[in-house]
Amino acid sequence: MIRVDQAGEYGATRIYAGQLAVMGDRSPAARLVAGMAAQEERHRAFFDAMIARRGVRPTALQPLWSVAGFALGAVTAAIGPEAAMACTAAVETEIDRHYRQQLDELGDSDQELSDAVARFRAEELEHLDTALASGAEQAPVYPVLSGLIRAGCRAAIALSKRI
């Protein structure tokens, strides 16, 4: 679980880095993205520390997640702010599903991890709400874009568990 969560938070930081590289820092959308990116950095730092403390092997796919995440962020931002928000909405929908499953599986077996996942899940849901309120569903071909990104997230989660 820790490997997958660290990989997901790392991927999220790369998506936001790609978006900010295209958006710059002056638009209202960029300011929203920068705020969400800061939270994702905090999440990633927590899981980085947990990996080190607990001796968990990080995913070998991290270099791929770096490139893929940055590219996804850059491409969606280049389409426009609504597409960048559509990306966030799609990713956060899958992360919510993933974190809910983890919390169910964890129960009371690992309080430190459960507490972090619950706290981070709440922040991810805030990102989802922000993205939807910022026009995610007005992105060009939103259903297709969202569906592709969500499928990619599910594949990344499955691969990070194994590799």
Side-chain angles (χ1 to χ4, degrees):
M1 285 184 183
I2 296 166
R3 174 178 42 248
V4 174
D5 292 348
Q6 189 276 341
E9 298 295 351
Y10 178 75
T13 65
R14 298 302 296 150
I15 290 168
Y16 287 131
Q19 289 178 342
L20 290 170
V22 171
M23 292 177 154
D25 62 358
R26 297 184 191 272
S27 72
R31 286 190 288 280
L32 289 172
V33 167
M36 292 185 285
Q39 286 183 319
E40 300 295 355
E41 287 289 349
R42 209 173 17 81
H43 299 175
R44 184 199 48 79
F46 173 86
F47 285 118
D48 284 352
M50 188 172 261
I51 276 180
R53 233 181 21 259
R54 295 193 182 187
V56 174
R57 179 187 58 80
T59 180
L61 297 172
Q62 193 150 328
L64 176 62
W65 300 157
S66 177
V67 172
F70 190 90
L72 177 60
V75 167
T76 56
I79 295 169
E82 293 86 3
M85 291 300 165
C87 178
T88 294
V91 169
E92 300 301 12
T93 297
E94 290 304 315
I95 296 305
D96 174 48
R97 188 166 81 64
H98 170 70
Y99 277 165
R100 269 188 292 122
Q101 289 171 344
Q102 277 192 341
L103 289 169
D104 289 345
E105 188 176 332
L106 281 167
D108 294 331
S109 67
D110 187 333
Q111 202 60 51
E112 179 188 21
L113 183 56
S114 291
D115 288 349
V117 168
R119 189 172 58 253
F120 297 162
R121 178 177 174 252
E123 291 177 355
E124 306 295 5
L125 287 171
E126 290 173 10
H127 300 173
L128 174 59
D129 291 343
T130 297
L132 292 172
S134 299
E137 296 169 312
Q138 277 65 60
V141 297
Y142 174 76
V144 173
L145 182 63
S146 178
L148 288 172
I149 294 169
R150 290 183 65 187
C153 288
R154 290 190 300 272
I157 289 168
L159 285 169
S160 292
K161 287 179 182 178
R162 292 177 175 79
I163 300 174

